[in-house]
């Protein structure tokens, strides 16, 4: 068991990005992209330790400048295009626990490419886990498309049909069951749950819902431009509030 209410934040950032080259350290309004997640973790006031895992010395150098407790070098087999996320996080946690000589009860992973989240999103996701004693919490935003209404699939014959038809048809999206898009922004686990199984979906996984404007995950040049635009708008509003 980990120490009671001890929390570790991991931020895992691979060097080889194809959608946006070098995105994890690409400058975003004056600082590397990864710095935003590090600063959010620190400002949340939740964590005993913050660690960054990467196969890139450039990313680790940027994390060092931004201020983290541990820099974890990721092995090559966990830095490929096909490497799954869970083994990467487990490796980072295991290395931090080995180096620090302690175990952590709550483990939180922040995606380095989701800089629009708020510190309050992190606090609420962690509070949901710790107040309900569930195994893990994931984050998502309300889905734009519904498999019950306007999301379709094409079968081998080329025939189009709803992905998830209901017995009783619906004529308005608002009448469809609520669906969510995972935004990969925040993952929260109890320690035993992280090291057990290969899926983020557990027997009692819970959801923290975030609005779309805080859920953009940078995976393309368009995403990067949208995030930059939204951040500039935030700064402009904050500037107006200070006057």
């Amino acid at each position: 068991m980990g120490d009671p209410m001890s929390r570790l934040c991991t931020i895992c950032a691979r060097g080889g990005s194809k959608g946006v080259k070098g995105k994890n350290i690409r400058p975003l309004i004056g600082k590397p992209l990864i710095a935003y997640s590090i600063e959010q973790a620190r400002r949340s006031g939740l964590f005993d330790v913050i660690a960054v895992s990467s196969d890139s010395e450039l990313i680790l150098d940027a994390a060092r400048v931004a201020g983290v407790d541990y820099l974890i070098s990721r092995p090559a087999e966990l830095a490929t295009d096909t490497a799954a996320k869970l083994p990467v996080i487990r490796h980072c946690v295991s290395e931090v626990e080995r180096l620090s000589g302690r175990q952590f009860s709550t483990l939180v992973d922040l995606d380095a490419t989701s800089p629009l989240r708020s510190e309050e999103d992190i606090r609420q996701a962690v509070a949901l886990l710790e107040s309900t004693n569930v195994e893990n919490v994931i984050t998502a935003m309300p889905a734009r498309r519904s498999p019950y209404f306007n999301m379709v699939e094409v079968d081998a014959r080329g025939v189009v049909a709803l992905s998830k038809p209901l017995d009783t048809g619906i004529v308005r999206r608002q009448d469809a069951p609520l669906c969510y898009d995972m935004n990969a922004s925040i993952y929260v686990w109890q320690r035993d749950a992280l090291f057990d199984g290969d899926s983020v979906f557990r027997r009692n996984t819970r959801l923290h819902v975030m609005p779309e404007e805080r859920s953009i995950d940078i995976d393309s040049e368009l995403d990067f431009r949208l995030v930059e635009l939204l951040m500039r708008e935030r700064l402009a509003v904050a500037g107006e509030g200070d006057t």
Side-chain angles (χ1 to χ4, degrees), residues 207-223:
L207 185 69
H208 170 65
V209 181
M210 296 165 57
E212 186 173 6
E213 64 268 19
R214 296 204 305 270
S215 294
I216 299 175
D217 177 42
I218 297 177
D219 200 36
S220 68
E221 288 291 339
L222 177 59
D223 294 334

Side-chain angles (χ1 to χ4, degrees), residues 86 90 134-136 189-197 199 202:
L86 277 175
R90 288 171 181 159
V134 297
E135 291 177 289
N136 71 323
W189 288 274
Q190 289 195 35
R191 188 184 187 281
D192 289 346
L194 175 64
F195 284 90
D196 175 32
S199 173
R202 310 287 299 178

Side-chain angles (χ1 to χ4, degrees), residues 166-233:
L166 295 171
D167 291 336
T168 57
I170 57 175
V171 296
R172 300 190 314 153
R173 180 178 57 83
Q174 292 87 343
D175 297 328
L178 290 176
C179 294
Y180 301 91
D181 284 337
M182 291 178 65
N183 61 13
S185 182
I186 307 166
Y187 293 91
V188 189
W189 288 274
Q190 289 195 35
R191 188 184 187 281
D192 289 346
L194 175 64
F195 284 90
D196 175 32
D198 295 316
S199 173
V200 299
F201 299 105
R202 310 287 299 178
R203 60 182 175 83
N204 57 9
T205 298
R206 297 293 181 88
L207 185 69
H208 170 65
V209 181
M210 296 165 57
E212 186 173 6
E213 64 268 19
R214 296 204 305 270
S215 294
I216 299 175
D217 177 42
I218 297 177
D219 200 36
S220 68
E221 288 291 339
L222 177 59
D223 294 334
F224 198 98
R225 292 198 295 271
L226 287 172
V227 167
E228 189 171 42
L229 174 64
L230 291 170
M231 282 197 161
R232 291 193 185 281
E233 288 182 352

Side-chain angles (χ1 to χ4, degrees), residues 67-237:
V68 296
D69 299 293
Y70 288 94
L71 301 169
I72 304 301
S73 295
R74 189 188 308 184
E77 63 270 19
L78 294 179
T80 66
D81 291 340
T82 58
K85 187 178 184 73
L86 277 175
V88 172
I89 298 170
R90 288 171 181 159
H91 173 266
C92 184
V93 171
S94 296
E95 283 298 287
V96 171
E97 291 186 339
R98 180 182 66 81
L99 293 169
S100 66
R102 64 185 297 193
Q103 285 189 351
F104 298 88
S105 57
T106 299
L107 306 170
V108 178
D109 185 74
L110 301 181
D111 197 303
T113 59
S114 300
L116 293 173
R117 75 172 75 80
S118 68
E119 291 83 33
E120 191 58 27
D121 286 317
I122 303 171
R123 294 188 195 104
Q124 289 180 10
V126 171
L128 179 57
L129 178 105
E130 294 180 347
S131 66
T132 58
N133 201 36
V134 297
E135 291 177 289
N136 71 323
V137 172
I138 64 175
T139 57
M141 67 178 185
R144 286 188 173 189
R145 297 288 181 265
S146 170
Y148 301 99
F149 181 70
N150 56 3
M151 184 178 292
V152 300
E153 297 178 12
V154 182
D155 68 15
R157 301 168 297 157
V159 176
V160 180
L162 276 175
S163 294
K164 200 171 183 180
L166 295 171
D167 291 336
T168 57
I170 57 175
V171 296
R172 300 190 314 153
R173 180 178 57 83
Q174 292 87 343
D175 297 328
L178 290 176
C179 294
Y180 301 91
D181 284 337
M182 291 178 65
N183 61 13
S185 182
I186 307 166
Y187 293 91
V188 189
W189 288 274
Q190 289 195 35
R191 188 184 187 281
D192 289 346
L194 175 64
F195 284 90
D196 175 32
D198 295 316
S199 173
V200 299
F201 299 105
R202 310 287 299 178
R203 60 182 175 83
N204 57 9
T205 298
R206 297 293 181 88
L207 185 69
H208 170 65
V209 181
M210 296 165 57
E212 186 173 6
E213 64 268 19
R214 296 204 305 270
S215 294
I216 299 175
D217 177 42
I218 297 177
D219 200 36
S220 68
E221 288 291 339
L222 177 59
D223 294 334
F224 198 98
R225 292 198 295 271
L226 287 172
V227 167
E228 189 171 42
L229 174 64
L230 291 170
M231 282 197 161
R232 291 193 185 281
E233 288 182 352
R234 283 186 185 181
L235 290 172
V237 171

